[in-house]
Amino acid sequence: MAVLAAGALMLTAGCSSQEGAESSAGQGARSPAGSPTAPSGQTASPSASASPSASRPAAGLPPAKGSAKVVSTLTEGLNSPWGLAELPDGDLLVSSRDKGTITRIDAKSGKKKLLGTVPGVAPDGEGGLLGIALSPDFATDHLVYAYFTTASDNRIARMIYDEDGQTPGQLLGAPDTILRGIPKGSIHNGGRIAFGPDRMLYAGTGETGDGGLAQDKKSLAGKILRMTPDGEPLHGNPQADSVVYSYGHRNVEGLAWDGDKQLWASEFGQDTWDELNRIVPGGNYGWPEAEGKAGETGFIDPVAQWKTSEASPSGIAFVKGSIWMAGLRGERLWRIPLSGTPDKEPLAAPQAFLEGKYGRLRTVLAAGGNKLWLVTSETDSRGTPKPGDDRILVVEVR
């Protein structure tokens, strides 16, 4: 890709502030599927080198080398799918970023059922209807939470899902906004939401292309937020009157907790490094002063980092002792085995699977046991859609 030595870095950048957080610049058509590929040390680097004994982990730890195999396609023909949530009966809800709709997917047949369109969604670039999550008390309150872009901001709202409704496309109640005023942009809107083990709601936001907002604690941009199900700040946050939980983020689109209830987040870099971060309350993750492992005082370095051309990470999930991370520009599924140590260092170097086989990968969700749901993202205006795109895949992992 390099045409001049002095410009090589910029030409291979995954997501410059001009191109956006999910750029596919310099990316050709999908390559044929190959066997899982393990990256070199320059491709993806853990914070600590794996020792020779890493191939023989202690009881309860994942193996240093894993595997990932697509065993079936649950459904296809989705338009710009983004958020994914599993209902108590195993069926899935999926959001469409550009259509502003939420659809139910039968977990056995893959049959689609439109629940409705979320009012107020104003798709723009990387904005639109993004992450969705179910209330911890969904069995009784039937509430679906959504993060979406409007004409003026990004916000989080909740809607009642009328599971007994008889009118297709009209099964969602009016949105009840619980948090508004998250800055919006044509790029870097974040958008992932999830309820944590503490039953509180977390949200990853982006800095809209304005790096200074990430360091501004008064802004909701470039942050991870933590709030009650009603959208209120709570005790245990760094500031009792603020929903800001961590800051210094460029664009967070992945949130997941490991078996020890430790929060992890994936983050888009700009020209050099994408990141997987271990999140601590009040932590400053460096952007825009630091990208990747800068080793600078006052900033928390990522646990693992990738060239932006090989990741551009969106959703993450924790399954079988490893973090699994979906890559957009990288068009691959990354596995990061965790060591179980207090500092949560990787057990071994990250490992890549499915490279180029299914195109851009947006969302990954634990499906029970050793399986994942994996959502492709070829119809998001930056992919190269093929017949059947986009899809939800069933992946068997180890």
Side-chain angles (χ1 to χ4, degrees):
M1 292 177 62
V3 294
L4 292 173
L9 180 60
M10 292 303 293
L11 286 174
T12 57
C15 328
S16 71
S17 57
Q18 292 78 22
E19 292 172 332
E22 303 171 0
S23 172
S24 59
Q27 178 177 290
R30 294 183 217 168
S31 61
S35 59
T37 53
S40 68
Q42 294 179 339
T43 298
S45 57
S47 294
S49 299
S51 66
S53 62
S55 60
R56 298 180 182 177
L61 294 182
K65 297 294 183 180
S67 62
K69 177 183 178 182
V70 174
V71 294
S72 64
T73 297
L74 174 62
T75 196
E76 56 186 26
L78 299 172
N79 184 297
S80 59
W82 212 101
L84 192 68
E86 185 176 3
L87 293 164
D89 66 359
D91 285 0
L92 301 174
L93 299 184
V94 60
S95 64
S96 167
R97 185 193 71 182
D98 297 341
K99 296 295 184 181
T101 57
I102 296 178
T103 298
R104 181 169 181 156
I105 311 296
D106 187 287
K108 294 180 179 178
S109 67
K111 183 178 179 180
K112 298 186 282 287
K113 178 182 179 181
L114 178 65
L115 302 192
T117 301
V118 179
V121 175
D124 177 23
E126 294 174 10
L129 179 56
L130 304 175
I132 56 175
L134 302 185
S135 163
D137 298 313
F138 180 84
T140 55
D141 63 26
H142 305 290
L143 288 173
V144 178
Y145 286 71
Y147 182 116
F148 58 92
T149 310
T150 73
S152 59
D153 64 358
N154 285 301
R155 62 183 60 177
I156 301 172
R158 57 190 177 188
M159 299 153 283
I160 294 177
Y161 169 24
D162 180 9
E163 292 187 277
D164 297 322
Q166 300 300 311
T167 307
Q170 299 181 28
L171 304 179
L172 295 175
D176 169 27
T177 299
I178 65 166
L179 183 68
R180 66 181 74 236
I182 303 170
K184 60 162 281 188
S186 60
I187 58 173
H188 306 181
N189 289 286
R192 194 69 62 183
I193 58 174
F195 280 93
D198 57 2
R199 298 171 60 86
M200 297 297 108
L201 181 63
Y202 293 73
T205 74
E207 35 76 299
T208 73
D210 180 353
L213 295 178
Q215 291 294 322
D216 180 357
K217 294 182 182 180
K218 295 181 180 180
S219 173
L220 298 181
K223 308 294 190 298
I224 292 176
L225 312 177
R226 177 177 180 257
M227 67 201 81
T228 69
D230 296 323
E232 299 295 329
L234 68 158
H235 294 294
N237 282 3
Q239 295 180 316
D241 61 347
S242 173
V243 295
V244 173
Y245 193 65
S246 63
Y247 66 107
H249 299 288
R250 186 170 183 262
N251 191 38
V252 175
E253 289 190 7
L255 299 171
W257 288 263
D258 65 22
D260 295 323
K261 302 181 181 180
Q262 169 64 55
L263 175 60
W264 296 85
S266 60
E267 182 167 343
F268 288 87
Q270 178 168 278
D271 297 322
T272 312
W273 298 113
D274 292 325
E275 302 177 357
L276 176 68
N277 286 298
R278 183 174 65 89
I279 303 302
V280 297
N284 183 349
Y285 290 82
W287 182 256
E289 305 301 324
E291 181 180 358
K293 297 176 184 177
E296 296 185 16
T297 301
F299 299 147
I300 299 176
D301 279 351
V303 169
Q305 63 183 23
W306 293 261
K307 294 178 182 178
T308 54
S309 61
E310 297 179 344
S312 294
S314 191
I316 60 174
F318 177 76
V319 175
K320 291 295 181 181
S322 297
I323 296 290
W324 297 85
M325 187 177 81
L328 289 164
R329 187 181 177 210
E331 296 189 353
R332 65 201 77 178
L333 178 66
W334 286 98
R335 174 185 184 265
I336 305 94
L338 302 183
S339 65
T341 59
D343 56 6
K344 299 291 184 179
E345 295 295 324
L347 180 73
Q351 189 178 5
F353 298 94
L354 312 180
E355 184 176 348
K357 186 172 182 180
Y358 297 97
R360 293 162 61 83
L361 303 179
R362 169 69 65 185
T363 296
V364 58
L365 182 69
N370 66 333
K371 289 186 171 62
L372 300 171
W373 302 111
L374 182 61
V375 181
T376 68
S377 191
E378 285 291 286
T379 59
D380 66 352
S381 79
R382 287 178 172 158
T384 306
K386 296 185 181 299
D389 284 333
D390 271 306
R391 315 162 196 269
I392 299 178
L393 308 171
V394 181
V395 186
E396 191 175 85
V397 302
R398 180 178 67 88

